[in-house]
Amino acid sequence: MRSSAIARRYAKALILIGRQDGQAEKYREELQSFVELLNAQPEFAATVSNPLHSTENRKRVLNAVLAELDMSAVMKSFVTLLFKKKRFGYIQDVNEHYQRLADELKGVVRAELTSATELSSDSFEQIRQSLSRMTGKEVVVEAKQDPELIGGVVTKIGDLVLDGSIRTQLKNMRESLKRGESV
């Protein structure tokens, strides 16, 4: 819980800077690229994060890599600040929080759509448009399959869950029958 609060605080600070200078989307891309670099080069991430190496050597490695990257001065300063404040290990979480904040700033909502089988592109687009009308925002949908749903779809937007799966309908019917209600 504490690490999430720390990451959220740094992400909020960066989004405020991005909002002020109009570069929020650029910072989103740069932060995402840097995190992808860390994932692609685990030795680099481990070296910079490992307290067994001296702080000065880790800082030197980080600065050398940052000097080679095509990043804004703000993003380089931000990454350096995370390192100085011993928060570099939170950069993945900071990125996740920043991505959500940048989406909010653009009026974009992310949804997760789970279906029993792969949906046709027409069905997928109809669902996305319905969600956009419902929320009044642009919706980016991530689709996945779960054969246990039997049929139908389950959609999650933030804390809201829209469950139209056959599995849930059967479960509800079973509970109604147990209580002696008519279906």
Side-chain angles (χ1 to χ4, degrees), residues 7-18 78 81 98 101:
R8 191 171 30 254
R9 191 174 325 128
Y10 280 93
K12 282 182 180 179
L14 184 59
I15 200 77
L16 286 173
I17 293 168
F78 182 74
L81 176 71
Y98 187 85
L101 292 171

Side-chain angles (χ1 to χ4, degrees), residues 139-181:
V139 177
V140 175
V141 181
E142 177 188 329
K144 59 183 185 178
Q145 283 84 41
D146 180 3
E148 291 184 15
L149 293 180
I150 303 170
V153 296
V154 177
T155 306
K156 295 179 186 175
I157 304 174
D159 294 338
L160 177 65
V161 177
L162 305 169
D163 192 340
S165 67
I166 292 176
R167 178 180 64 188
T168 300
Q169 291 175 17
L170 289 172
K171 180 180 163 194
N172 291 341
M173 198 181 314
R174 182 181 321 123
E175 294 299 318
S176 293
L177 291 171
K178 282 182 182 177
R179 291 189 302 267
E181 299 173 0

Side-chain angles (χ1 to χ4, degrees), residues 24-25 35 62 100 105 113 117 121 165:
E25 195 59 30
V35 167
L62 178 62
R100 280 193 288 268
L105 190 62
L113 177 72
T117 60
S121 59
S165 67

Side-chain angles (χ1 to χ4, degrees), residues 9-173:
R9 191 174 325 128
Y10 280 93
K12 282 182 180 179
L14 184 59
I15 200 77
L16 286 173
I17 293 168
R19 191 180 303 163
Q20 287 175 348
D21 65 11
Q23 299 293 315
E25 195 59 30
K26 181 178 182 180
Y27 300 154
R28 172 206 293 257
E29 293 166 7
E30 289 178 342
L31 184 57
Q32 181 66 36
S33 294
F34 188 74
V35 167
E36 287 171 3
L37 170 72
L38 292 175
N39 291 335
Q41 300 294 328
E43 306 84 23
F44 166 60
T47 300
V48 174
S49 299
N50 191 340
L52 294 176
H53 300 291
S54 73
T55 302
E56 196 54 43
N57 285 341
R58 292 184 293 145
K59 184 178 179 182
R60 197 173 307 122
V61 169
L62 178 62
N63 287 336
V65 170
L66 289 175
E68 294 298 317
L69 296 176
D70 184 27
M71 289 173 53
S72 64
V74 169
M75 188 53 63
K76 288 179 181 180
S77 296
F78 182 74
V79 171
T80 304
L81 176 71
L82 289 174
F83 178 79
K84 285 180 184 175
K85 296 290 186 178
K86 296 179 174 46
R87 303 292 195 222
F88 191 80
Y90 297 119
I91 197 160
Q92 300 266 1
D93 293 335
V94 170
N95 180 49
E96 288 175 20
H97 286 291
Y98 187 85
Q99 298 299 323
R100 280 193 288 268
L101 292 171
D103 281 346
E104 286 177 26
L105 190 62
K106 282 179 56 178
V108 173
V109 176
R110 296 208 176 264
E112 185 179 290
L113 177 72
T114 308
S115 61
T117 60
E118 188 173 345
L119 296 172
S120 70
S121 59
D122 289 341
S123 297
F124 182 82
E125 186 58 26
Q126 286 178 343
I127 292 170
R128 192 194 66 71
Q129 288 176 359
S130 295
L131 293 172
S132 289
R133 281 192 302 275
M134 185 182 87
T135 61
K137 298 182 178 186
E138 180 185 341
V139 177
V140 175
V141 181
E142 177 188 329
K144 59 183 185 178
Q145 283 84 41
D146 180 3
E148 291 184 15
L149 293 180
I150 303 170
V153 296
V154 177
T155 306
K156 295 179 186 175
I157 304 174
D159 294 338
L160 177 65
V161 177
L162 305 169
D163 192 340
S165 67
I166 292 176
R167 178 180 64 188
T168 300
Q169 291 175 17
L170 289 172
K171 180 180 163 194
N172 291 341
M173 198 181 314

